[in-house]
Amino acid sequence: MIGEIEIYGVYFPSLLILMVLAFGVTAGLRILLGQLGFYKLVWHRSLMNFALYVIVLGGFVVLTRGW
Amino acid sequence: MMKKLIGKAGPVVLTLIVVVAAVLVGRYLWDYYTNAPWTRDGHIRADVVQIAPDVSGLITEVKVSDNQLVKRGQVLFVIDRARYALALKQAEAVLAQQSAGLLQAKREAARNRGLSDLVARENIEQSEARVQQDEASVAAAATAVEVARLNLQRTVVSSPVDGYLNDRTPRVGDYVSTGKPVLSMVDAHSFHVDGYFEETKMNRVRVNQPVEIQIMGESHKLRGHVQSIAAGIEDRDRSNGATLLPNVNPTFNWVRLAQRIPVRITLDEVPADFRMIAGRTATVAVVAGKGEQQ
């Protein structure tokens, strides 16, 4: 929550990094799920993708609580 | 027909379940980042003592240097003593003069009393009054000696607290004036953290709650607890006009910024190698806990 990442003198909240990470992980997940044919069972593909992104981000935040 | 409906409903239900889960996660994230009582607007603070000499004069000796740690009572600098030593001598001379006058008055009074048959009653009373007057003069002169001695003592300026000098140490030859601060000291025992919390978070801040403090650029966290919460801040939207009628600032109804309330935090655990510097930036997070209602 209170963590900060310093990039050459500029401080960013750690949430920003987690968001980028979560986006990368979700992108991988999307490809994987596409190959498994998961999206045939899905109503709105983009809505599902966004929901997955939020859940993955939530997972990262919980994992890094102590920061 | 039925089977087709279920076949169509399946993806909708699956998607909605995942979306509801995402909404719950999103709510948790919002609460965690936005509502939780934490702030990046915190600072290490300390009491600053301004050292001003009690007597005026030229500085003849400086016994400390910039940023030095000094103990309570340690001599900081010395003001030219010659003038005050002379003043003491003068006061002592006046005292001697007054004492001599008193002795003479006492002798005269005793003589007049011994010759009470020959001396007019008025003269006896006058001589006794002179004794009393001279006694008062001696007392005044003795006090003046004490004042002169005190002034001489006060030419040596010593530290009132254990603390760190700041970087405006006076130099030899500077002229310092009574009551005008010439250097400031940071009280080494007064370090604490002030967290400026948004007022929207105040309902989750309680006295005695444990607090984690992250100082900018430090790898280790400091621990403390909420010591007290400020009872008031300035009302920025109101001032008094020339007519003494209230002058209230018209604010927007839509976009408003939460004001910040100072919360004073006592430090409990500080890493041994941590260097306290008043003014450093701190991120302050209240650890969820009961605490006490103030």
Side-chain angles (χ1 to χ4, degrees):
Chain A
M1 174 166 66
I2 64 173
E4 279 173 308
I5 281 131
E6 190 209 337
I7 299 172
Y8 207 68
V10 182
Y11 282 79
F12 295 96
S14 52
L15 179 63
L16 182 76
I17 307 301
L18 295 181
M19 281 168 132
V20 172
L21 268 179
F23 183 80
V25 169
T26 316
L29 201 62
R30 238 166 21 216
I31 295 168
L32 188 72
L33 290 178
Q35 280 174 357
L36 290 176
F38 176 73
Y39 286 111
K40 283 178 203 139
L41 308 171
V42 166
W43 181 32
H44 280 300
R45 193 172 166 147
S46 324
L47 185 64
M48 176 56 99
N49 281 342
F50 181 67
L52 282 178
Y53 171 72
V54 172
I55 290 168
V56 170
L57 177 61
F60 272 115
V61 168
V62 170
L63 283 178
T64 58
R65 270 195 88 123
W67 289 16
Chain B
M1 173 75 182
M2 196 70 182
K3 206 173 174 186
K4 204 177 170 191
L5 205 69
I6 292 170
K8 259 196 157 177
V12 175
V13 170
L14 177 67
T15 309
L16 285 183
I17 286 172
V18 177
V19 166
V20 166
V23 167
L24 292 177
V25 171
R27 253 189 61 182
Y28 165 78
L29 288 177
W30 182 260
D31 185 66
Y32 185 63
Y33 281 103
T34 309
N35 296 337
W38 72 285
T39 177
R40 286 197 207 280
D41 193 5
H43 291 279
I44 297 182
R45 295 186 27 114
D47 296 341
V48 175
V49 186
Q50 297 194 340
I51 312 284
D54 197 22
V55 292
S56 302
L58 293 165
I59 293 180
T60 52
E61 215 180 330
V62 178
K63 302 227 177 190
V64 288
S65 54
D66 285 356
N67 304 330
Q68 188 186 330
L69 174 64
V70 294
K71 293 262 170 289
R72 183 178 172 165
Q74 190 174 336
V75 174
L76 300 175
F77 58 90
V78 180
I79 296 167
D80 186 20
R81 296 172 65 88
R83 191 180 298 276
Y84 297 98
L86 291 174
L88 177 59
K89 265 187 185 169
Q90 189 181 16
E92 279 167 352
V94 171
L95 177 60
Q97 189 186 4
Q98 300 290 353
S99 303
L102 174 62
L103 284 178
Q104 177 58 23
K106 275 183 175 166
R107 279 195 294 273
E108 278 176 17
R111 203 177 304 130
N112 284 349
R113 265 200 304 276
L115 301 173
S116 56
D117 296 341
L118 301 174
V119 179
R121 183 155 182 79
E122 191 184 4
N123 285 4
I124 295 177
E125 284 172 359
Q126 275 173 351
S127 57
E128 275 169 2
R130 253 198 70 202
V131 170
Q132 286 170 356
Q133 280 169 3
D134 284 4
E135 276 171 350
S137 300
V138 167
T143 310
V145 169
E146 289 303 310
V147 169
R149 196 164 285 147
L150 183 67
N151 280 341
L152 186 59
Q153 278 172 14
R154 292 284 164 93
T155 56
V156 179
V157 180
S158 51
S159 166
V161 290
D162 294 340
Y164 298 91
L165 287 181
N166 250 350
D167 62 356
R168 210 165 59 110
T169 313
R171 314 280 163 215
V172 171
D174 283 356
Y175 192 89
V176 291
S177 308
T178 304
K180 206 172 154 201
V182 289
L183 63 92
S184 57
M185 285 184 61
V186 176
D187 186 344
H189 303 303
S190 71
F191 282 107
H192 62 274
V193 173
D194 265 1
Y196 304 122
F197 284 84
E198 283 128 313
E199 52 190 322
T200 50
K201 295 178 177 179
M202 290 314 293
N203 57 353
R204 287 166 77 168
V205 179
R206 297 271 179 274
V207 170
N208 277 342
Q209 269 176 326
V211 168
E212 277 186 350
I213 301 139
Q214 176 75 55
I215 307 295
M216 191 185 250
E218 296 290 330
S219 49
H220 295 291
K221 279 180 184 161
L222 278 52
R223 283 175 199 286
H225 65 270
V226 176
Q227 192 236 320
S228 58
I229 299 167
I233 55 169
E234 182 71 26
D235 185 350
R236 296 154 56 96
D237 285 332
R238 178 183 173 143
S239 58
N240 271 331
T243 54
L244 295 182
L245 299 176
N247 175 10
V248 181
N249 218 11
T251 56
F252 291 103
N253 282 332
W254 280 30
V255 181
R256 290 182 296 170
L257 285 178
Q259 298 183 97
R260 308 279 173 149
I261 316 287
V263 172
R264 188 178 167 129
I265 289 146
T266 305
L267 291 165
D268 298 328
E269 260 177 62
V270 178
D273 59 339
F274 181 72
R275 179 99 164 87
M276 279 288 177
I277 298 172
R280 282 190 82 170
T281 312
T283 301
V284 178
V286 174
V287 182
K290 285 276 173 209
E292 277 169 24
Q293 195 85 36
Q294 200 175 24

